Amino acid sequence: MQYALAHARYQLLELVRTPVAVFGSAFFPAVAMLFFVVPAVGDDAVGATYATAAMVTFAVLSANVFQYGVGVAEDRAQPWDPYLRTLPVGPAPRFAGRVLAGLTLTYLSLLPVVLIAALLTEAHTTAAGFALAAATVALVSVPFTLMGLAIGYALPSKAAIVVAQLVFFPLAVGGGLLTAPGQAPAFIEAIAPFLPTRGAVELMWTAVGDFRPDPLSMVMLGVWIVGLATLAGWAYRRDEGRRFS
């Protein structure tokens, strides 16, 4: 555990030296809250609560896809990376440290969204709902962490940036993160259950309100997790093989 914490501390120090990384993860969800959620449903307690949960999911998607996708690809290009892979402790502490640092960044990126919701809207939930939502954030981070790792280990940094940008917005829109439950256009409602963002946001809606998740969305979320874990594992092994072949 101490090695994982050491790696997490190293990752967080890197983030502190480049605070724009934290700013970037928090910027778009906060802007969406200010320009869309507050004027549209700010006075509607139920609508504002669900919209805030959607923006939280938006922030989780952004933080994990870009932090892991771009961050891992950039780390692989550094001469320090091959040395770390030769250490006798193995890859597990490094991976665990990266995940801990990623969760910390994710929670930090949520602060502006939560503050805007608390100060400028009628969004509300119970103390138990808030605690459950906070725990759900870690759960819904899993598929997007795996997606970012797959991108980061499979592609060089310049390509990883492009691919992260290409998958981010379609997943957000297609998963219904920019609309209230059941109010997206028919095309979005048709494809949303098959995207990981829909399953993630439905778990968040369930945590903060009286919402029942769609079984199809939950099944597909599990399918995405298994598929992305397989892809991330393959990308890591391929990268490992290239470096030491």
Side-chain angles (χ1 to χ4, degrees):
M1 187 63 182
Q2 70 181 76
Y3 296 115
L5 292 175
H7 280 290
R9 179 175 175 271
Y10 165 75
Q11 294 288 336
L12 291 172
L13 285 174
E14 287 292 309
L15 290 174
V16 169
R17 294 190 181 106
T18 54
V20 69
V22 180
F23 175 80
S25 298
F27 178 74
F28 290 109
V31 168
M33 282 290 293
L34 287 172
F35 285 94
F36 297 103
V37 175
V38 173
V41 295
D43 295 330
D44 177 1
V46 175
T49 302
Y50 283 141
T52 300
M55 288 302 101
V56 165
T57 310
F58 190 95
V60 170
L61 170 66
S62 172
N64 286 282
V65 168
F66 284 98
Q67 197 235 157
Y68 291 105
V70 180
V72 168
E74 289 179 344
D75 284 351
R76 287 171 49 231
Q78 303 300 319
W80 181 244
D81 185 75
Y83 169 73
L84 288 176
R85 296 193 185 201
T86 65
L87 296 178
V89 295
R94 187 182 179 202
F95 176 76
R98 185 180 289 279
V99 170
L100 289 173
L103 277 175
T104 302
L105 175 63
T106 297
Y107 281 108
L108 287 175
S109 70
L110 300 181
L111 291 178
V113 172
V114 175
L115 288 174
I116 291 169
L119 298 176
L120 301 179
T121 77
E122 296 298 322
H124 75 280
T125 188
T126 63
F130 185 86
L132 182 58
T136 303
V137 165
L139 176 61
V140 301
S141 294
V142 173
F144 309 125
T145 296
L146 293 170
M147 184 178 296
L149 289 171
I151 293 171
Y153 282 118
L155 301 170
S157 59
K158 291 182 179 179
I161 294 172
V162 174
V163 171
Q165 291 172 335
L166 288 175
V167 303
F168 167 68
F169 197 68
L171 284 176
V173 176
L177 303 188
L178 305 182
T179 55
Q183 295 185 14
F187 172 71
I188 298 298
E189 291 291 340
I191 66 171
F194 298 96
L195 299 178
T197 37
R198 185 62 177 199
V201 76
E202 288 191 2
L203 288 176
M204 291 301 302
W205 286 337
T206 302
V208 300
D210 185 19
F211 183 88
R212 291 187 177 183
D214 180 4
L216 176 59
S217 298
M218 297 300 99
V219 170
M220 291 308 301
L221 180 61
V223 170
W224 273 95
I225 289 174
V226 172
L228 289 169
T230 302
L231 182 60
W234 169 81
Y236 178 83
R237 290 191 297 272
R238 188 189 69 159
D239 184 59
E240 192 86 354
R242 285 181 173 180
R243 288 176 180 272
F244 296 101
S245 60

